[in-house]
Amino acid sequence: MPTSIMATPSEPSITPSTRWELVPQRSIRMPEKELTLVDRCILVALMMKAAPLPQTYFTNVVGISLKPEHRRRLQSHGLIEVTEKPITLALTDKGWARATEELGAEPPKRAGAAGGTLYVALDFLRRLIDHSGVRADDLFRLQINRDEVVPAAVPPPEVPAGDAVTLIQRAYRGLAAKPGDYVMLSDLRDALADLDRSDFDAALVTLNQERGVHLVPESNQKVLKPRERAAAVTIGNQDKHLIAISS
C-alpha cells in the first residue's frame, strides 16, 4: 500500500504567486507620475528661494497657478508644510531632499520649451555643486551681495536714518525671521509710525523695482483685518499687503 506524503507545517509549498507576495513593499519605487511638472516646479522654487513663500508669490512672480490639489499632493508626500493667513508653503527636510533630486533630473514629458530650459539650468547647478563640494541647501541659503557671497545670516551694515528706503529695509530686518520671509505692511508701518505715509508709499514703489524685493497681495482677501487693508500700497492698480526682501 503506497504511503501518502503530506507537507509538514515547517515546509510550506510556495507557488510563484506566493513569492511575489514576499517582496518587501519598500523595495517598490513609487512612480514619478505622482508629482506633476507644476508640483516639481513648486519644490524647485522653494528650494532656490530657501524660505517659506506665500501662495501669491507663485501666482505673481513664478507664474504658477497654485491650486489646492497641488498643496494637498505635496503635503500627502510629506514634502511641504502649509500655514494660513497668508497661505504659505515651506519645504520639509524630505522636501529639500526631493527638490535636490531635480538637479540633473530629466525634464518630464511635455515640459515644453520653458520646462526644458529650466532643467538645462538645473543640470548646470548640479555640476556646479559637484565641482564646489557645497551642499545644495547651503548654496541656496547664501545671499549674494554685488561682488561677494556672504551667509544670509550675516546682518547688513548699519544705514543712516532719514532716508525712507533705508528705514524700511532696516525695519524689515527687525521684523523678518530671516531674509526672504514675508512681512505684513501693517506691521512695517507700525514699526515706522513717524514716517510720512506718502514718503512710505513712494519708498515702497522704489523698492518694488529692486531685485530681491517682492510686494504681493494677500491671496485670501477675506482674512485681512481692517488695519491690514488700510496699510496696503497700490502698485499697478493692485493693492499689495506683504513685502519680502531677500537681498
Side-chain angles (χ1 to χ4, degrees):
M1 179 176 177
T3 304
S4 60
I5 300 176
M6 298 179 62
T8 64
S10 60
E11 297 177 353
S13 175
I14 301 177
T15 65
S17 60
T18 307
R19 291 192 182 95
W20 282 113
E21 295 174 355
L22 297 177
V23 176
Q25 185 66 31
R26 62 179 177 274
S27 68
I28 301 175
R29 184 178 179 82
M30 300 301 289
E32 185 61 45
K33 67 180 181 180
E34 289 196 1
L35 289 187
T36 67
L37 175 60
V38 172
D39 296 335
R40 294 163 71 171
C41 287
I42 292 169
L43 294 178
V44 169
L46 287 168
M47 173 179 66
M48 289 188 168
K49 295 301 292 184
L53 298 175
Q55 180 166 285
T56 49
Y57 179 87
F58 293 94
T59 302
N60 300 331
V61 180
V62 185
I64 293 177
S65 179
L66 203 163
K67 300 178 181 178
E69 64 191 63
H70 298 132
R71 298 198 305 268
R72 286 194 294 266
R73 184 159 47 243
L74 292 172
Q75 278 186 291
S76 68
H77 286 286
L79 303 177
I80 64 169
E81 295 177 344
V82 179
T83 56
E84 303 289 337
K85 297 182 181 181
I87 297 176
T88 304
L89 283 65
L91 286 176
T92 62
D93 290 341
K94 184 178 179 182
W96 265 102
R98 181 61 184 82
T100 304
E101 291 180 12
E102 295 302 310
L103 301 173
E106 292 293 327
K109 294 180 180 180
R110 297 182 295 278
T117 303
L118 167 66
Y119 278 85
V120 170
L122 291 177
D123 181 66
F124 169 77
L125 287 173
R126 178 192 59 80
R127 289 185 282 115
L128 177 64
I129 290 169
D130 291 344
H131 177 74
S132 65
V134 178
R135 287 167 46 95
D137 53 347
D138 290 337
L139 173 66
F140 292 119
R141 286 187 173 113
L142 291 179
Q143 178 183 352
I144 299 176
N145 289 330
R146 297 187 180 181
D147 297 328
E148 63 177 348
V149 178
V150 297
V154 175
E158 288 296 321
V159 294
D163 176 63
V165 169
T166 53
L167 284 173
I168 289 174
Q169 290 172 325
R170 185 163 57 184
Y172 169 85
R173 291 195 296 269
L175 292 170
K178 60 180 179 298
D181 281 359
Y182 277 84
V183 170
M184 294 296 297
L185 289 183
S186 56
D187 295 333
L188 199 58
R189 290 189 191 275
D190 288 347
L192 297 170
D194 295 333
L195 185 60
D196 183 77
R197 172 79 184 226
S198 60
D199 292 339
F200 197 112
D201 290 356
L204 289 176
V205 172
T206 299
L207 282 168
N208 190 56
Q209 300 172 0
E210 295 188 8
R211 185 176 181 180
V213 178
H214 302 288
L215 280 154
V216 299
E218 165 58 55
S219 59
N220 186 0
Q221 299 286 309
K222 295 180 180 179
V223 304
L224 286 173
K225 301 175 183 177
R227 63 181 286 271
E228 294 169 340
R229 291 183 184 276
V233 60
T234 303
I235 300 177
N237 296 323
Q238 188 179 49
D239 287 345
K240 313 286 188 178
H241 307 96
L242 298 116
I243 185 172
I245 303 177
S246 58
S247 61

